Amino acid sequence: MKITYFINQYPQVSHTFIRREILALEEQGFNIQRIALRGWNADIADETDKDERAKTQYILVSGLLALLPYVFRQLLITPLLFVKALITALRMSRMSERNLIYHIIYLFEACKVASLCRGFNSQHIHAHFGTNSTEVALLAHLLSNIPYSFTVHGPEEFDKPLGLHLKEKVEHAKFVVAISSYGRAQLYRWAEYKDWHKIKIVHCGLDGSFLQGELDQPPVNKIRQLLCIGRLCEQKGQLLLLKSLRKVIDSGENVTLILAGDGEMRHAIETFINKNNLQNHVQITGWISSKQVKQLLMNSDAMILPSFAEGLPVAIMEAMAIGTPVLTTYIAGIPELIINDKNGILFPAGDIDATKKAMVGFLSKSKDELELMRQQAYQSVERHHNIDTEAAKLACYFKEGV
């Protein structure tokens, strides 16, 4: 079966879960066409991502003007379908944060996507994230009559469901994937009841590079090391984490924190570090490869994620799979995977004292308590987030949707 994957930017360090899904589907006999808007010139270090980039067709690699021949050809060949897609694009512009011109551009992009899909003889189009990439996939579906589906991750889609026209996107789709029960429930809120049956759960998954069947020995660090992975932005909560860290250190604990990532709040975070004398306790890595992230996880005593908003972070699964205990917040789909004080530690989001308490509680655990937590964490992620199992679920939905 020939499936087209359409993604806004691919490959990308933070989107390794999409790569795993594609490769697992190919292992199960699917022929996958990769199409992305951008990513041909991305700075990537991972060799597998470099291979994926060579397999990907890019919509904007030659600029917007290069899309015009695809638009004229589509208008000439299927004028009625083009008008239908144009009307939908106009509707999508209502209540959207982006003005009409963006949605016309999405239609132009969809003309090239539809052309590439027809050339591939694609039987189904699948998009990740219910944002502009899904709008382009929807318009390509209308232009080509090839069925489409999409995966919703959150939290962005649930922040502005009306502006993103989630209801209309679900209505046109053959099926819609949520990555957690929480995500499915949020889609139920915005979809028509008659479309609820379309909403499926397929978890993000890990492959054999993480699920190896046994755990390595934990690191032996003289000073306990915590790792926080993610974009340096408001919703990830790093500033509050630093405030909690200052309190932990003031209480007499000796601990270091690595912030793996980069983003718009880096200057504010660096300023806080300098003003609060945390230079010897905090390191910011900037963007690093997935291989480097994995090595940091293996070298750290725990991963901490103080987010205010998430879907169900893949970084949590990766940490659990290699035996790194996870401290994170009671939000979104996270409690579906982590049970507090069993296979990880949960604390309320946005609470500096609760974050401090979680860190101090972790630091006080015995070696035996931590080993039990590590083993239970691995079992949980192996049971619920094996990419081969999850890709097999998705494969069934693709076959049913043709």
Side-chain angles (χ1 to χ4, degrees):
M1 186 174 177
K2 293 187 174 183
I3 304 291
T4 297
Y5 261 64
F6 178 72
I7 307 123
N8 194 6
Q9 182 164 322
Y10 183 81
Q12 194 171 353
V13 172
S14 58
H15 293 169
T16 52
F17 54 89
I18 300 177
R19 184 187 76 196
R20 291 184 192 122
E21 187 172 283
I22 289 172
L23 295 178
L25 285 167
E26 288 183 327
E27 283 290 318
Q28 297 184 25
F30 285 78
N31 191 351
I32 306 295
Q33 178 186 37
R34 300 139 169 91
I35 302 178
L37 288 178
R38 302 173 183 83
W40 64 87
N41 58 352
D43 183 16
I44 53 176
D46 194 288
E47 290 301 319
T48 308
D49 277 340
K50 291 179 182 178
D51 291 341
E52 286 297 290
R53 180 164 59 187
K55 298 174 184 177
T56 303
Q57 297 168 284
Y58 292 100
I59 300 302
L60 297 176
V61 66
S62 300
L64 283 174
L65 289 178
L67 299 178
L68 291 178
Y70 295 95
V71 176
F72 294 140
R73 191 178 305 124
Q74 185 77 50
L75 183 57
L76 181 65
I77 296 172
T78 58
L80 292 180
L81 293 181
F82 185 88
V83 170
K84 183 179 180 181
L86 174 60
I87 291 171
T88 301
L90 295 176
R91 287 175 180 165
M92 289 287 184
S93 70
R94 298 171 188 166
M95 297 188 292
S96 174
E97 289 183 352
R98 295 191 164 183
N99 61 37
L100 177 60
I101 189 63
Y102 282 95
H103 298 270
I104 298 301
I105 291 172
Y106 297 157
L107 176 60
F108 286 11
E109 293 166 348
C111 288
K112 183 173 180 179
V113 173
S115 177
L116 294 176
C117 289
R118 284 192 293 262
F120 182 67
N121 292 321
S122 179
Q123 296 165 271
H124 193 100
I125 303 169
H126 188 74
H128 268 268
F129 307 104
T131 50
N132 64 310
S133 53
T134 291
E135 181 170 340
V136 174
L138 163 58
L139 296 173
H141 151 68
L142 295 176
L143 292 168
S144 64
N145 283 323
I146 299 172
Y148 95 104
S149 56
F150 63 102
T151 295
V152 171
H153 293 265
E156 286 78 10
E157 296 97 332
F158 308 136
D159 289 342
K160 42 193 174 183
L162 296 177
L164 290 172
H165 294 270
L166 272 185
K167 181 175 75 171
E168 291 82 357
K169 289 172 179 176
V170 173
E171 181 181 351
H172 285 280
K174 276 290 183 179
F175 65 90
V176 181
V177 171
I179 63 167
S180 66
S181 292
Y182 171 84
R184 179 176 61 182
Q186 295 306 301
L187 285 169
Y188 283 166
R189 293 181 62 203
W190 300 107
E192 295 283 357
Y193 173 70
K194 64 180 178 61
D195 291 324
W196 282 14
H197 70 281
K198 296 181 181 180
I199 303 171
K200 319 292 185 182
I201 295 178
V202 178
H203 298 117
C204 295
L206 303 180
D207 57 20
S209 65
F210 281 93
L211 300 176
Q212 298 180 350
E214 59 183 29
L215 298 176
D216 292 332
Q217 291 299 311
V220 180
N221 295 320
K222 290 183 179 179
I223 300 175
R224 307 293 281 280
Q225 176 176 295
L226 303 180
L227 174 67
C228 180
I229 303 169
R231 186 175 190 84
L232 304 182
C233 60
E234 287 88 348
Q235 75 179 37
K236 295 296 184 180
Q238 291 102 341
L239 267 180
L240 289 190
L241 174 59
L242 291 174
K243 292 180 180 181
S244 301
L245 178 67
R246 182 70 266 175
K247 290 194 170 193
V248 170
I249 294 168
D250 289 343
S251 72
E253 299 285 355
N254 197 359
V255 60
T256 60
L257 172 67
I258 296 177
L259 299 177
D262 211 329
E264 57 270 25
M265 286 197 70
R266 180 164 185 163
H267 177 71
I269 288 170
E270 288 175 333
T271 299
F272 183 92
I273 291 169
N274 292 330
K275 284 185 176 180
N276 290 273
N277 299 316
L278 288 170
Q279 299 93 327
N280 295 328
H281 296 274
V282 182
Q283 174 192 350
I284 302 175
T285 67
W287 292 121
I288 55 178
S289 71
S290 54
K291 183 178 181 179
Q292 290 171 301
V293 169
K294 184 177 180 181
Q295 191 59 54
L296 277 177
L297 278 171
M298 295 175 69
N299 294 341
S300 298
D301 294 281
M303 172 186 163
I304 184 163
L305 191 67
S307 299
F308 309 148
E310 287 287 354
L312 180 50
V314 174
I316 287 177
M317 305 167 202
E318 293 175 345
M320 296 170 72
I322 62 176
T324 305
V326 174
L327 292 67
T328 187
T329 47
Y330 281 104
I331 59 167
I334 291 174
E336 296 173 38
L337 177 59
I338 295 183
I339 301 171
N340 187 41
D341 234 17
K342 297 291 184 183
N343 58 2
I345 295 175
L346 296 175
F347 53 92
D351 190 323
I352 295 171
D353 290 330
T355 308
K356 173 200 169 186
K357 182 179 178 181
M359 286 192 280
V360 171
F362 166 76
L363 295 171
S364 67
K365 286 191 177 296
S366 69
K367 182 177 179 180
D368 289 343
E369 288 174 324
L370 289 175
E371 183 58 29
L372 180 59
M373 181 176 287
R374 278 164 31 92
Q375 295 295 335
Q376 290 179 331
Y378 180 85
Q379 292 164 11
S380 297
V381 79
E382 183 182 44
R383 186 181 311 118
H384 298 293
H385 295 278
N386 185 305
I387 190 56
D388 293 327
T389 303
E390 299 308 306
K393 295 179 188 176
L394 191 55
C396 291
Y397 301 136
F398 283 143
K399 292 172 183 176
E400 292 170 2
V402 174

